[in-house]
Amino acid sequence: MTERELDAAGVIDPALREAYRHCRRLNARHGRTYFLATRLLPVERRPAVHALYGFARWADDIVDALGTGADTARRDAELAALERELEQGLRDGESAEPVVRALADTARRYRIDHAHFADFMAAMRADLVVTDYADYAALRRYMHGSAAVIGLQMLPVLGTVTDRETAAPHAAALGVAFQLTNFLRDVGEDLDRGRVYLPADLLAAHGVDRERLRWSRDTGRRDPRITSALRAFERLTRGVYRQAVPGLAMLEPVSRPCIRTAFVLYGGILDAVAEDGYAVLHRRSVVPRRRRAVVAADGLARVAAARLRARPAAAREPGGVPLTGAGPVGPRMVEEVA
């Protein structure tokens, strides 16, 4: 599938093709939900998504380099080196780093605002020194660079039926909603990294602080005050999803199945956390495979419908819909997406 994606995207240079392949591997390894949702995009747009997410995952890996002996100073130096490489790549279109080379090519092809990448790198640097947030306003300032700009980077790739400025706030909200979902799911893992993303004032309103979270994580014991705080954070997150909803209809029809599938699957993580009794300090909640398969099947049906509507009536083949660029549609792909 990789070669077909690159051919469709018009990526010819061998080194650049390998750079995109590298990004695809990073995206597949780290972002399973969104990687699989990307399979629902038109084939020619997938490499750009892999480049954007591959770069984000690579930078995030530097920040979260646990168990490698990399102290804060070393990670800071690695981020600084990456940022210099990024600036040069965006300026010249060339880089010795495959991820930067693919990202620079994607930014050029889709005219993505370079300020989004600078804001993202600023958030990554903050993660090296900031370990908690006093309130939601402070967390939102951080998430502008760590999450909202991801949605804004994606928007030119997905395309819109409105002007981009109208869709932008909803795209940013969706990026934030996805990250808030990850924060809730990963409370325990983030705590082990020394970070608490749940706002301190929200925790305090329920009688919880970092020490209480640490106690629960270390002992495996539950506390109704923690459950109450986590439930409140879930409600806050669902509110951000509601802010993102109008943006789904603003996307080009062929892009909607991908983003809607990601929307439903990420929202399903919230459902799984609630169904698991908010036990995120002790284990990771996952969306059941059968539920993922149902969402995938719905996404595939929407892809078929969108491609049918987009194809001129005279070009439709009798007896079926030729899903040019859609890839194989059937039980096997449902299984892969699930």
Side-chain angles (χ1 to χ4, degrees):
M1 181 65 73
T2 302
E3 301 307 311
R4 181 166 169 264
E5 291 173 353
L6 295 172
D7 290 344
V11 179
I12 300 171
D13 179 76
L16 186 57
R17 288 172 74 93
E18 180 54 36
Y20 274 107
R21 290 189 198 100
H22 181 64
C23 290
R24 189 181 191 274
R25 289 191 292 269
L26 286 172
N27 193 14
R29 184 166 72 244
H30 289 290
R32 184 167 180 264
T33 295
Y34 202 78
F35 172 77
L36 294 173
T38 302
R39 295 285 306 278
L40 301 177
L41 278 177
V43 65
E44 70 276 3
R45 303 191 196 191
R46 297 175 201 166
V49 178
H50 295 319
L52 294 173
Y53 273 80
F55 178 82
R57 292 310 318 180
W58 191 36
D60 198 53
D61 280 350
I62 294 174
V63 173
D64 288 340
L66 290 180
T68 65
D71 59 18
T72 300
R74 179 176 171 184
R75 285 180 285 166
D76 184 56
E78 290 183 10
L79 276 181
L82 174 58
E83 191 160 23
R84 289 192 298 271
E85 194 72 30
L86 173 64
E87 291 171 354
Q88 179 181 339
L90 291 174
R91 183 177 61 251
D92 303 336
E94 296 291 336
S95 175
E97 293 288 353
V99 176
V100 173
R101 185 167 186 171
L103 181 77
D105 183 68
T106 290
R108 177 188 61 80
R109 289 172 182 265
Y110 289 95
R111 299 180 181 179
I112 300 173
D113 188 344
H114 293 183
H116 297 328
F117 303 114
D119 290 345
F120 173 77
M121 292 304 298
M124 293 300 97
R125 289 195 304 273
D127 258 337
L128 295 179
V129 294
V130 180
T131 60
D132 50 37
Y133 294 87
D135 51 35
Y136 185 57
L139 183 63
R140 280 301 295 255
R141 287 192 293 272
Y142 161 74
M143 288 192 297
H144 167 74
S146 65
V149 297
I150 303 297
L152 297 175
Q153 292 168 22
M154 284 284 295
L155 205 53
V157 179
L158 299 172
T160 62
V161 295
T162 66
D163 60 273
R164 196 177 298 174
E165 291 72 22
T166 300
H170 306 292
L174 189 58
V176 170
F178 287 169
Q179 186 164 62
L180 288 171
T181 301
N182 288 339
F183 287 163
L184 181 59
R185 181 195 60 193
D186 299 339
V187 169
E189 295 172 20
D190 287 331
L191 189 62
D192 290 342
R193 297 186 179 103
R195 303 191 198 111
V196 176
Y197 288 107
L198 278 62
D201 63 343
L202 182 150
L203 293 174
H206 298 270
V208 179
D209 56 17
R210 177 189 285 262
E211 288 69 30
R212 175 60 47 177
L213 296 176
R214 187 74 262 171
W215 166 86
S216 180
R217 176 74 167 170
D218 291 343
T219 65
R221 297 174 63 183
R222 306 290 295 274
D223 185 320
R225 292 170 293 183
I226 294 176
T227 300
S228 180
L230 295 173
R231 186 180 293 113
F233 193 77
E234 179 210 350
R235 288 196 297 269
L236 182 155
T237 302
R238 291 191 186 278
V240 181
Y241 275 99
R242 288 192 290 273
Q243 295 171 18
V245 166
L248 298 179
M250 297 179 187
L251 299 175
E252 287 185 2
V254 293
S255 296
R256 291 173 197 166
C258 165
I259 302 306
R260 185 185 183 280
T261 296
F263 182 97
V264 174
L265 288 175
Y266 268 94
I269 295 173
L270 295 180
D271 296 334
V273 168
E275 292 166 5
D276 202 25
Y278 302 91
V280 290
L281 278 164
H282 312 122
R283 56 182 175 268
R284 172 178 281 212
S285 300
V286 297
V287 179
R289 186 175 180 83
R290 179 174 296 181
R291 190 179 304 173
R292 291 171 62 89
V294 169
V295 175
D298 178 70
L300 292 171
R302 290 172 184 271
V303 167
R307 301 254 163 86
L308 175 60
R309 288 192 296 269
R311 191 172 178 85
R316 292 178 190 158
E317 297 175 0
V321 181
L323 298 179
T324 305
V329 177
R332 181 177 178 182
M333 186 171 176
V334 170
E335 182 178 352
E336 291 173 351
V337 174

